[in-house]
Every structure is written in structure tokens, then in C-alpha cells.
Amino acid sequence: MLKTRFTEEFGVEHPIVQGGMMHVGRAELAAAVSEAGGLGIITALTQPSPAALGREIARCRTMTDKPFGVNLTLTLSINPPPYAELRQVIIDSGVQIVETAGSDPTVHVEHLKANGIRVIHKCTSVRHALKAEALGVDAVSIDGFECAGHPGEDDIPGLVLIPAAADALSIPFVASGGFADGRGLAAALALGADGINMGTRFMCTQESPIHQNIKERIVGASELDTQLIFRQLRNTMRVSRNTISEEVVEILNKGGRFKDVKDLVAGTRGRKVYEDGDAEFGTWTVGMVQGLINDIPPAGEVVRRTMVEAESRLLGLAGETVVTRARAV
């Protein structure tokens, strides 16, 4: 088995983390990933209230006794979610791992760490990863430009970002964006990461709570079928290429502002896509890695075969290196 700093420090069997995806990170999926030896993640903001989050955590515990985490995505908005209450529910529930993402997590890291909770902070650049390390987080999850959702504004792909992070950080980190199988895990480990985070791959599993039509859309898509929106607003977001995303880009290219597209990109429309299966109804996040996804297996099977393939690749490469060196001599 592949042991890394991440598996050792976070008490999981395999260096695989399920992405904390809005509308997707529910108990069934998180439990299936954790039960298979990865780290499943429940998404706090997917739940309608702090009390509902508490019930979802309790539900997950009925499905697995292995470690799982909770994602707390920090957004800047006029009517922000009740973060203090959500954080207290997480603490009171006994969850030992939290993934923060988005805005400055300082106050949350302080409270979570004071209660013995390990914190992973998701970020999109080395400089932000270093700031998170200085705050005292236990690990970071660093997103390359290939990722679904917000890739930041630097446009640095994983092939450069992962080794750059490895050179700069002293804490463990998992690589995110562009991972769907054991080849990716082997590559991430070779580049210096301590594991991988997979979002789109776990969206397209049997336990994923999104409509079958959307899963089949992902299977049928290629790496070319995503689109970057909000580039003009410097709030870039990678979504599935559809009629709505095309319209958003066209409006903004003509000088439009957020107010001109806000109804098109409303989160309620994205949620309806996942619930009803109409892939053209709104904008919904998916990564370029959909081009490598060809089936809809159980989440546990994704974990198991990713590990088998990664180990096989690494052993094969080690053998080939030995043979090549012997021939050179």
C-alpha cells in the first residue's frame, strides 16, 4: 500500500480525498469513499441549516466508522451563511477533519485547531498555500488550472503547480484538478504531492446524488467540453460548456457586468441541473478531467482501482528505470 505523510497524519488508508463539492458532498458518497479507505467529505453548505448538517454527519456515521471530513467553503456575500453555527455543529459532532476553502479561514482555523480538529485548506496558488501554512493548517489541497469550479487567476496547471508547492511547503499537501485514476495519483506522488483530491471523478459514481443524465453527460464529454466564465470579472470559474455558459461569456465579452448574468448563473439553477438532469438549464461545475471518465462505478471501486493502478504504474516505472540504467552501464 502507498503510505504518505497525508495518510499517516490524517489516519486514512489511501492518499485519496473526495472533493468537497456543493450539492454533491452528501453522506452516502462521503461514507462510500471513506469506507474504501479514502477520505470522504460532506459539504456543509449543501445542507439547508446547521441542524441539518448535524443530522447529515450523524447519518454518515451510520454508514462508516472510518474517518471522514466536512468542507466549509467561505464566501463573501451580502447574506453570508451562519458560519459560526456551522463551525460549532462540526465541533460538537466530533468530526476530526475539516476542509476550508474560499476566503480567509483565520478565525475558523483558530477555533477548529483549539478543538483538536485537523484542517486542510484548499487554495489555487503557492503563495496562498504558504499563507495557510503560516496560519497553522495541517495540510493544503492545491488546485491546478484544470480543476472544476474556481481555478484562481494565475492559470498555472498542475504539472508546474504541484512541484512548485512541493518545493515551498513543509506541511503535507494533496494535488487537485485533473485527477481521475491511478495514473494521475502516481504522477502527483512523483511530482511531490502526498495524495490527490478527485471531484469530477466522484461526481460520476453510483453514490453521487446527482441525476443520471448529468453523470452520462460527463461520461460522454471530452476534455474540450468545459468553459471558463467570469474571466472578465477576475472571478474565473470552470463549468460545463452549454448554452447558458456560452450566453454568459457572450454577454461579458460585450461589456456586460455581473448584474447582467446573475440570473443565468444563479446557484438555484445549478442545483436544479443536478436534481432534474437538464444539463442546459444552468451553469454547473465540472473539470477538464471529464475527458478521462468513461463509466459510472461505485465510489469504493474508484478508490480501489485508483490505488491498484497507481501502485502498478509506480512499480512498473521503477522496474523500467532499473532496466534502462543496466543497459546504459
Side-chain angles (χ1 to χ4, degrees):
M1 292 188 298
L2 297 174
K3 294 295 183 184
T4 69
R5 289 189 301 166
F6 183 81
T7 62
E8 296 295 326
E9 294 185 23
F10 284 79
V12 294
E13 186 178 357
H14 303 310
I16 296 174
V17 181
Q18 168 228 318
M21 299 167 281
M22 190 66 174
H23 310 308
V24 183
R26 300 181 186 272
E28 288 83 0
L29 178 57
V33 173
S34 288
E35 190 65 15
L39 179 63
I41 302 286
I42 290 172
T43 311
L45 297 189
T46 294
Q47 299 301 314
S49 68
L53 174 59
R55 291 191 293 271
E56 192 73 357
I57 292 170
R59 249 182 12 99
C60 194
R61 282 218 171 87
T62 68
M63 303 176 203
T64 185
D65 59 1
K66 295 186 178 181
F68 63 88
V70 175
N71 167 280
L72 191 62
T73 296
L74 312 170
T75 61
L76 297 174
S77 60
I78 296 173
N79 298 304
Y83 285 119
E85 294 177 50
L86 291 167
R87 186 180 66 228
Q88 194 59 49
V89 165
I90 294 168
I91 293 169
D92 292 344
S93 72
V95 167
Q96 293 298 299
I97 301 170
V98 168
E99 177 191 66
T100 56
S103 305
D104 183 358
T106 301
V107 65
H108 302 288
V109 171
E110 291 173 354
H111 280 84
L112 295 168
K113 294 286 290 178
N115 285 274
I117 296 173
R118 289 190 171 274
V119 179
I120 307 167
H121 185 64
K122 180 179 279 291
C123 47
T124 60
S125 69
V126 173
R127 65 184 181 280
H128 292 153
L130 287 170
K131 288 180 181 178
E133 181 179 46
L135 287 177
V137 304
D138 299 280
V140 295
S141 177
I142 193 157
D143 264 345
F145 184 59
E146 306 92 332
C147 71
H150 293 283
E153 303 304 315
D154 295 338
D155 299 359
I156 308 299
L159 195 60
V160 172
L161 187 61
I162 298 167
D167 289 345
L169 295 168
S170 60
I171 57 175
F173 76 97
V174 294
S176 182
F179 298 102
D181 54 34
R183 296 173 297 178
L185 174 55
L189 295 176
L191 291 170
D194 299 284
I196 58 171
N197 178 302
M198 294 193 290
T200 300
R201 173 65 274 191
F202 283 120
M203 281 177 66
C204 204
T205 59
Q206 292 177 17
E207 294 86 353
S208 170
I210 64 176
H211 199 282
Q212 184 71 12
N213 289 354
I214 303 305
K215 297 177 187 181
E216 292 174 2
R217 172 83 166 229
I218 293 171
V219 168
S222 81
E223 67 277 10
L224 301 176
D225 294 322
T226 70
Q227 185 149 36
L228 297 171
I229 61 174
F230 303 157
R231 294 289 271 178
Q232 302 86 341
L233 308 179
R234 292 196 58 77
N235 187 29
T236 302
M237 188 172 186
R238 187 179 300 282
V239 299
S240 175
R241 183 182 297 274
N242 63 10
T243 53
I244 298 295
S245 68
E246 296 277 7
E247 184 176 355
V248 169
V249 169
E250 183 178 1
I251 291 170
L252 295 178
N253 278 342
K254 292 180 177 178
R257 306 303 297 166
F258 181 73
K259 64 181 177 60
D260 302 309
V261 299
K262 66 181 181 64
D263 292 335
L264 292 172
V265 300
T268 52
R269 294 184 70 150
R271 186 178 69 243
K272 291 287 285 182
V273 168
Y274 291 150
E275 292 174 350
D276 298 341
D278 182 355
E280 299 295 323
F281 183 73
T283 55
W284 51 283
T285 60
V286 71
M288 297 171 73
V289 76
Q290 66 182 347
L292 303 180
I293 296 172
N294 302 305
D295 60 357
I296 309 170
E301 176 62 23
V302 169
V303 174
R304 286 185 287 272
R305 72 190 190 194
T306 297
M307 291 305 304
V308 169
E309 183 179 18
E311 291 170 358
S312 175
R313 289 271 171 166
L314 291 170
L315 287 170
L317 289 170
E320 289 172 10
T321 300
V322 171
V323 171
T324 300
R325 286 179 178 169
R327 286 174 178 166
V329 171

